[in-house]
Amino acid sequence: PAPPTPTVAPLESTEEVETDTTEDTATETETEAEAETEAEIETESETEAETEAEAEPEPEPTEPPAPLIIEDMVEISAGAVTIGQDGGKPKNAPAHSVDVAAFAIDRFEVTNDDYSAFADDSGYMTYAEENGSKSWRDVTADRGNHPIVYVTWNDATAFCEWAGKRLPTEFEWEKAARGEDSRIYPWGDAFNVDAGNFKERGIRGTTAVGSFPDGASAYGVEDMAGNVREWVANFLLPYEGQAADADPYFGETFRIHRGGGWFDEEGGEVLTTYNRNAGPPDVTANDDIGFRCARSLE
């Protein structure tokens, strides 16, 4: 709006007052004219602004960014790999070739920090938490970079889906651990007590992921023997050529975990790249079972 007409100070002479009043009236007329002109300009500006607003499309809504977690994955190309082993336990035999499509797998096991980000974002509660059992939250103090434990197969699957990944198949897991030269252990064919967190080391608990780089597989994937056993996607089913009753746990009931944990030792083949153990997917949650995720590349 135009500024108000300034008030003229009163003068002693009536004639001068009348003259001043005439000047004041002229000033009012000029001011009103200026105000009308400014109002017209503002109206035109508003019309132009409205026209421009109508012409410009509204921006499309964007999805909020996903919570940050550490993602370090190793890409493994498609190809055949030897799965299983002859001459050992029936559940691991016979040795046979499997074609595996290209995939990526986490270099390290999922950590307490990773799982905490998932739980905080989604409100997810593990089986152990819901049932008042000892859970991952009870063992995370100052262990953010240790692998998550006390998680069932269902708990592991929920995390992988939230992260846009999935559990690796047992064939993917074995290829990442075994390499193309059919290694017995991720690092080679001879047991090496310095290559991982095993019972022989006497640590009696988890260690930070990546603490034993000498135990990495040929692809550079770490902690695939020792530290914690790792859930994979598959049921414990017999390999082709093995009798369906060769192992009492064969069937679509138990899910497989691989790699052995901190309480496993050289004897019994548990730490080998080809060994398979399993448990009920909805209730098995121990202090030596964790997981890592994978993603298809084809």
Side-chain angles (χ1 to χ4, degrees):
T5 302
T7 303
V8 179
L11 300 176
E12 293 180 3
S13 169
T14 303
E15 190 174 312
E16 289 180 359
V17 170
E18 289 177 356
T19 303
D20 289 339
T21 303
T22 303
E23 292 176 356
D24 187 53
T25 303
T27 304
E28 279 184 31
T29 303
E30 293 173 0
T31 304
E32 289 175 358
E34 291 174 358
E36 289 177 1
T37 302
E38 291 178 2
E40 289 175 1
I41 293 172
E42 288 177 2
T43 302
E44 291 175 358
S45 300
E46 290 173 359
T47 303
E48 291 175 0
E50 289 175 359
T51 304
E52 291 177 0
E54 291 175 359
E56 294 180 1
E58 294 184 1
E60 295 182 0
T62 57
E63 295 183 2
L68 294 177
I69 59 173
I70 296 174
E71 181 170 303
D72 184 359
M73 303 190 78
V74 177
E75 295 188 0
I76 299 178
S77 59
V81 61
T82 299
I83 300 294
Q85 189 83 350
D86 293 325
K89 300 173 183 177
K91 64 183 178 181
N92 300 327
H96 59 291
S97 179
V98 174
D99 285 323
V100 180
F103 68 99
I105 190 167
D106 289 344
R107 186 182 303 275
F108 305 109
E109 296 150 334
V110 172
T111 66
N112 289 319
D113 282 345
D114 294 334
Y115 209 86
S116 179
F118 157 60
D120 291 345
D121 179 66
S122 66
Y124 184 87
M125 293 184 66
T126 62
Y127 170 83
E129 291 175 278
E130 289 181 338
N131 288 273
S133 304
K134 190 172 184 179
S135 76
W136 66 278
R137 294 188 182 278
D138 297 317
V139 294
T140 58
D142 301 322
R143 293 187 174 189
N145 59 349
H146 285 228
I148 187 75
V149 292
Y150 290 116
V151 285
T152 67
W153 185 91
N154 292 342
D155 298 332
T157 298
F159 174 91
C160 290
E161 290 177 351
W162 170 83
K165 306 178 188 180
R166 56 174 173 77
L167 285 176
T169 68
E170 67 167 327
F171 304 132
E172 289 172 336
W173 192 97
E174 189 162 337
K175 182 173 184 178
R178 198 168 198 180
E180 298 178 359
D181 53 358
S182 301
R183 299 178 178 187
I184 295 175
Y185 301 99
W187 56 85
D189 291 334
F191 182 75
N192 179 4
V193 71
D194 295 322
N197 179 15
F198 322 121
K199 186 176 182 179
E200 283 86 348
R201 295 192 64 87
I203 296 174
R204 305 295 182 179
T206 61
T207 53
V209 298
S211 294
F212 299 92
D214 290 343
S217 75
Y219 295 106
V221 186
E222 301 196 27
D223 296 315
M224 299 199 83
N227 216 11
V228 294
R229 303 182 181 196
E230 300 175 15
W231 288 114
V232 295
N234 304 72
F235 288 112
L236 182 63
L237 298 172
Y239 290 145
E240 185 176 353
Q242 182 60 271
D245 59 353
D247 189 287
Y249 297 104
F250 280 160
E252 295 188 353
T253 301
F254 302 105
R255 297 283 185 173
I256 296 171
H257 46 78
R258 294 288 204 118
W262 56 265
F263 196 67
D264 293 309
E265 55 191 340
E266 179 184 4
E269 300 182 300
V270 177
L271 295 171
T272 63
T273 56
Y274 55 81
N275 186 73
R276 305 194 291 169
N277 281 330
D282 52 345
V283 297
T284 301
N286 298 338
D287 61 356
D288 63 348
I289 300 180
F291 67 99
R292 73 181 75 217
C293 303
R295 180 183 290 134
S296 301
L297 295 180
E298 295 182 351

